[in-house]
Amino acid sequence: MTNYAEFHRRSLEDRDAFWAEQAQLVDWKTQPKQICDYSNPPFAKWFAGGFTNLCHNAVDRHLKDRPDQAALIFVSTETNQEKVYSFHELHAEVQRMAAVLKELGVQKGDRVLIYMPMIAEAAFAMLACARIGAIHSVVFGGFASGSLASRIEDASPKVIISADAGSRGGKAVAYKPLLDEAIRLSSHKPDSVLLVDRGLVAMNLLAGRDHLWAPLRQKNLNTVVPCEWLEATHPSYTLYTSGTTGKPKGVQRDTGGYAVALAASLKHIFCGNAGETYFATSDIGWVVGHSYIIYGPLIAGMATIMYEGLPIRPDGGIWWSLVEKYKVTVMFSAPTAIRVLKKQDPALLKKYDLSSLRALFLAGEPLDQPTAQWISAGLGRPIVDNYWQTETGWPILAICKGVDDAPTKFGSPGKAVYGYNVKLLDENTGEELKGANQKGVVAIEGPLPPGCLQTVWGDDTRFVSTYWTTIPGRMVYSTFDWGIRDEDGYYFILGRTDDVINVAGHRLGTLEIEESISGHPNIAEVAVVGVADQLKGQVAMAFAVVKDTSLVTDDASRLKLEAEVMKLVDGDLGAVARPARVRFVTVLPKTRSGKLLRRAIQAVCENRDPGDLTTMEDPAALQQIKDLITT
Ligand code: ATP
Ligand code: MG
C-alpha cells in the first residue's frame, strides 16, 4: 500500500507529473500538450492540446478485449423489463442514436436536452452526444414544466430527447404534456423533439417538430458514426445543482479532465475493476448518475446497472437481489435511500448472497451514525461515506481505499482526496485555519483538480463571484459547507454555511441539533431551522416526523413528546440549543434528490416567500408546516 499522505502531497506539489500519470488511464487520440494551464485563475484548463472522447473511452475502447461482456444492465421493476447490453450492443445502439441526432442536425457544440426516465435509451442518448461532441443537459425526469422550462431556456438545446412517460410505483407518469408545456413556457424553442415511445401513454405529436425514436433507429440500424475527437477542454455537458439553497446553477464540465478524473476515481477510491459490476442507485438527472451510473463504470470497463423503480417495490430486498444476481462489487447510494430501507424488514438485508459486494458508498448528505451503523451491521459490508458536490463531479473527501488502508471513522466522510487542496477558512477573516479541531468553511485552493466544473454555463462572472474568494495571493473555491478537521486529517461536515443559526450570540449548526433530536427513539427524521426572534436574534425551530404516530394523537401527548425532545437537546448540547418549539409532521419538505429544504421551511416560519421551489418533492410537506405555524 502506498503511503497516502505522500500520494496526496504529490498530487498537489508535483501536480503535473501526477496527473500526467493518471491521464494514461484513458485513451487519447492526441496526447495533451500541457497538463494544467492555470494562467487565468480561477479558470483551469486541464490536458490542453489533448484530443479524446468520452464515448470512445466508455464504449469503443472496450470492444477489443470485452465485446461480449455486459456493459449496461437495464432493470425496471416498473415495467418488469430486464435487458443486458454487451459492449458490442451498446456500441451499436449508441451509434444509432448518434446517427439520428446527426440527421436532426445536431453538430459539435450544439446542446441536446435529455428529459427521460431511467431507461436504456437515456444512456444511449448521453453517450451519443458525447460521441459527436454535442453538449448534453440531462434534466431529472421528475421535474415538472416550470423547472424544465427554465433549464430549456438556459441550455437552449437544438434537440430535446424525451419519452412518452416515466413510471413510479407502477403508475405511468406522462412526460410529453409536461415537455410541451415547458417548451411553450420557454422563449427558446428546440428544432426537434425525439421521443421514445414506451407504450405507456398515448402521445400527440407535433408535425415537423416531433419524431419517434423507433422508426429513425430502424432506418439507422447499420449507420456508422465514428467518435469525434474533441479537445480535452471541450464542454461535455451541463448539469444543474440540486437547488437546495436557491436558484440551480448550470455546472459546465469538460471532456478530458472528466474522463481522467473518473478513471482515476474508479481505481483509487471505488476500487472497481474491468469485468465487474457497479450499481449506483441514483438517477441520471443527478451528478451521481452522470459520474457513476454512466461514465465512470463504463470507462473502467465495468458493467453498470440502470435501475428504474422504487427501492421498496416489490419489496425492500430488490436492490440486494440485484447485487446477488449481477455480482455487484461496488455500490453507491444515498443516506436518504437507506433511511427508506430502514423502515422495512431488516431480514431483507440477510436474504441474498452479498459476498461479491466490496463496499457500499454513500454520499449526498450527512450520514448519521444510527443509519450508518444499521446498514453496515445489516449488510456486513464496509460503508464508505464520501463528500462532494455537483460542481466537483467526483469525491472531495473520502477514504481512498485503493491507495490508503486507513480506517473509516463514523461521522466523517474521510480525508482530502488526492488532487484537492482542501482548506478550512475562518468565516470572518477568510484566513486559513491550520490547527486541528477548528471549525471553518470547507474550501479548495485553486486550481480545482480535473473533472470539476469549468465554469457556470454561459456565466463566467457568476462562476467567479459565486464560488471564489481571494486569500493573499491565492484563489479559493468555497463549498458553502462547514467542516472541522481532526488531528488525523479526517474531516467532519457540520452542515451548510447558510444552515447556521445564531441564538443570543451563540452560533449553532442546525445539523448538531438535528442529530441530538434524532437520538430520541420515537423520532424518525427532523429538520431544524433558525427563525428570527426579536429577543434572541434567532431561535431554533424543529419539525419532526415521528415513528409511532399513535403516541402523538392529541395536544397533551404532543406536548409530552416535545418536552422529552427538548430535554434531550438540553442534555446533549445545552439549553441554548433547545428549540423554541418542536412540531410534528408526517413528511418533511425535500428536494427531489432527498435533501432537506431548510431554507424553504425557514422562509415559511418567517412568513417570507420560500422562493424557487421547483426542485421540491412534495409540496404538501411545506403546506403542513404552514398550517402548523399559523395555528
Ligand atoms: P444547491 O447547490 O443548488 O443548493 P445542493 O448543494 O444540494 O444544491 P448537490 O451538489 O447535489 O446540490 O449537493 C452537494 C452538497 O450535499 C454538499 O455541498 C453538502 O452540503 C452535501 N453533501 C454531499 N455529500 C455529503 C456527505 N457525505 N456528508 C455531508 N454532506 C454532504
Ligand atoms: Mg451546492
Side-chain angles (χ1 to χ4, degrees):
M1 187 71 57
T2 348
N3 170 347
Y4 181 69
E6 170 57 19
F7 190 78
H8 184 258
R9 189 201 57 76
R10 198 170 159 249
S11 73
L12 302 179
E13 288 174 15
D14 203 2
R15 185 182 68 207
D16 286 5
F18 178 91
W19 286 108
E21 277 166 29
Q22 305 305 321
Q24 298 319 308
L25 293 169
V26 305
D27 278 2
W28 296 89
K29 174 69 179 163
T30 311
Q31 287 288 330
K33 301 225 165 5
Q34 195 180 355
I35 300 303
C36 180
D37 173 357
Y38 197 52
S39 54
N40 178 28
F43 299 91
K45 287 192 186 138
W46 282 97
F47 307 115
F51 282 77
T52 185
N53 183 291
L54 279 169
C55 182
H56 167 84
N57 277 289
V59 184
D60 298 46
R61 76 159 165 161
H62 303 302
L63 294 176
K64 188 161 72 67
D65 294 336
R66 49 190 81 254
D68 301 319
Q69 181 203 298
L72 183 71
I73 301 169
F74 165 61
V75 178
S76 173
T77 50
E78 295 290 333
T79 55
N80 292 319
Q81 281 169 295
E82 197 155 329
K83 188 165 160 89
V84 179
Y85 297 84
S86 66
F87 276 103
H88 177 72
E89 287 162 330
L90 180 60
H91 180 244
E93 291 294 350
V94 170
Q95 288 201 84
R96 290 165 193 150
M97 184 67 84
V100 171
L101 289 177
K102 287 195 128 179
E103 205 175 312
L104 296 175
V106 176
Q107 294 178 359
K108 177 181 160 189
D110 285 341
R111 272 82 57 215
V112 172
L113 189 137
I114 298 173
Y115 176 64
M116 289 179 93
M118 285 285 288
I119 55 176
E121 287 80 359
F124 306 157
M126 291 167 73
L127 291 162
C129 288
R131 190 169 191 86
I132 62 176
I135 302 168
H136 62 67
S137 185
V138 182
V139 176
F140 176 54
F143 282 147
S145 2
S147 338
L148 181 55
S150 63
R151 287 157 174 79
I152 294 175
E153 191 93 49
D154 195 67
S156 57
K158 180 168 250 175
V159 171
I160 296 181
I161 310 179
S162 189
D164 57 338
S167 179
R168 204 174 147 82
K171 283 196 208 73
V173 183
Y175 278 22
K176 182 64 168 44
L178 297 178
L179 176 61
D180 288 341
E181 172 65 6
I183 296 174
R184 197 186 63 74
L185 291 171
S186 165
S187 67
H188 172 84
K189 312 288 176 199
D191 292 352
S192 318
V193 174
L194 180 63
L195 294 151
V196 176
D197 186 356
R198 311 176 71 189
L200 293 176
V201 171
M203 287 188 282
N204 286 323
L205 298 186
L206 184 67
R209 187 195 73 182
D210 296 353
H211 307 268
L212 289 175
W213 159 241
L216 287 176
R217 174 183 177 275
Q218 199 58 35
K219 202 174 127 195
N220 286 286
L221 273 186
N222 300 309
T223 314
V224 174
V225 182
C227 286
E228 178 105 21
W229 296 109
L230 305 165
E231 297 100 294
T233 52
H234 180 77
S236 57
Y237 68 77
T238 65
L239 175 65
Y240 296 86
T241 57
S242 306
T244 310
T245 51
K247 187 175 180 289
K249 303 167 274 282
V251 162
Q252 178 184 319
R253 197 91 63 209
D254 73 356
T255 296
Y258 190 51
V260 172
L262 292 182
S265 74
L266 257 298
K267 183 171 175 202
H268 306 308
I269 303 175
F270 298 100
C271 307
N273 305 306
E276 299 175 351
T277 307
Y278 198 112
F279 181 19
T281 68
S282 183
D283 187 284
I284 50 155
W286 309 123
V287 69
V288 177
H290 284 64
S291 294
Y292 298 114
I293 295 177
I294 306 296
Y295 292 112
L298 292 175
I299 287 174
M302 298 178 79
T304 183
I305 297 181
M306 203 170 167
Y307 174 71
E308 180 188 49
L310 302 176
I312 52 168
R313 198 174 164 273
D315 65 44
I318 175 65
W319 285 355
W320 316 118
S321 78
L322 294 176
V323 170
E324 176 183 279
K325 179 164 180 190
Y326 293 107
K327 301 200 169 45
V328 171
T329 56
V330 188
M331 188 164 168
F332 197 120
S333 192
T336 185
I338 304 304
R339 283 194 285 266
V340 169
L341 294 179
K342 221 167 136 186
K343 294 177 190 149
Q344 309 291 311
D345 181 0
L348 290 166
L349 297 179
K350 300 280 181 216
K351 195 172 154 193
Y352 299 94
D353 176 8
L354 307 182
S355 56
S356 62
L357 189 64
R358 268 184 236 118
L360 169 62
F361 292 82
L362 295 173
E365 28 160 354
L367 176 61
D368 58 284
Q369 193 151 332
T371 302
Q373 274 161 345
W374 179 83
I375 189 70
S376 108
L379 296 179
R381 284 281 168 274
I383 305 301
V384 188
D385 188 1
N386 57 116
Y387 160 87
W388 46 298
Q389 308 181 302
T390 307
E391 288 87 343
T392 65
W394 60 288
I396 304 168
L397 301 174
I399 295 293
C400 300
K401 284 288 177 197
V403 275
D404 191 0
D405 51 17
T408 50
K409 292 189 188 183
F410 269 128
S412 166
K415 304 186 255 183
V417 167
Y418 57 88
Y420 289 95
N421 193 359
V422 181
K423 312 256 170 213
L424 291 173
L425 305 183
D426 182 283
E427 171 196 24
N428 299 314
T429 62
E431 273 167 43
E432 186 180 349
L433 301 169
K434 295 208 165 135
N437 301 315
Q438 287 177 288
K439 182 173 160 181
V441 179
V442 181
I444 305 163
E445 185 175 332
L448 294 173
C452 295
L453 81 168
Q454 291 181 291
T455 184
V456 170
W457 173 252
D459 201 345
D460 285 351
T461 312
R462 187 169 177 211
F463 171 62
V464 179
S465 66
T466 305
Y467 296 106
W468 295 87
T469 47
T470 307
I471 55 175
R474 301 172 296 171
M475 291 196 83
V476 284
Y477 166 93
S478 173
T479 62
F480 299 103
D481 289 310
W482 290 107
I484 199 164
R485 181 181 53 233
D486 71 9
E487 19 322 275
D488 303 323
Y490 287 67
Y491 286 80
F492 294 78
I493 298 296
L494 305 173
R496 295 166 187 262
T497 50
D498 56 357
D499 285 344
V500 167
I501 57 179
N502 194 328
V503 183
H506 301 275
R507 297 178 54 74
L508 305 162
T510 50
L511 197 64
E512 304 171 69
I513 308 178
E514 286 168 7
E515 274 178 0
S516 166
I517 296 177
S518 304
H520 190 286
N522 196 25
I523 301 295
E525 217 177 354
V526 60
V528 170
V529 297
V531 177
D533 180 86
Q534 285 203 322
L535 205 62
K536 299 183 176 170
Q538 269 185 319
V539 291
M541 283 285 251
F543 296 91
V545 177
V546 290
K547 279 189 194 146
D548 181 357
T549 47
S550 71
L551 295 177
V552 284
T553 45
D554 55 13
D555 282 350
S557 56
R558 274 190 285 272
L559 283 172
K560 180 168 170 282
L561 183 58
E562 181 170 18
E564 281 173 26
V565 167
M566 287 181 174
K567 205 169 143 215
L568 187 67
V569 177
D570 285 3
D572 285 347
L573 304 170
V576 62
R578 181 199 304 159
R581 291 295 319 259
V582 183
R583 312 299 297 262
F584 303 106
V585 290
T586 55
V587 53
L588 289 167
K590 290 190 179 174
T591 63
R592 298 272 182 170
S593 51
K595 293 161 190 264
L596 273 177
L597 276 165
R598 294 192 191 79
R599 71 173 163 92
I601 304 177
Q602 183 187 40
V604 163
C605 290
E606 294 183 341
N607 207 5
R608 285 183 287 115
D609 173 12
D612 186 351
L613 292 178
T614 48
T615 60
M616 187 157 70
E617 168 83 30
D618 178 6
L622 200 58
Q623 191 57 44
Q624 276 193 29
I625 292 177
K626 271 189 195 152
D627 295 346
L628 269 176
I629 59 156
T630 49
T631 50

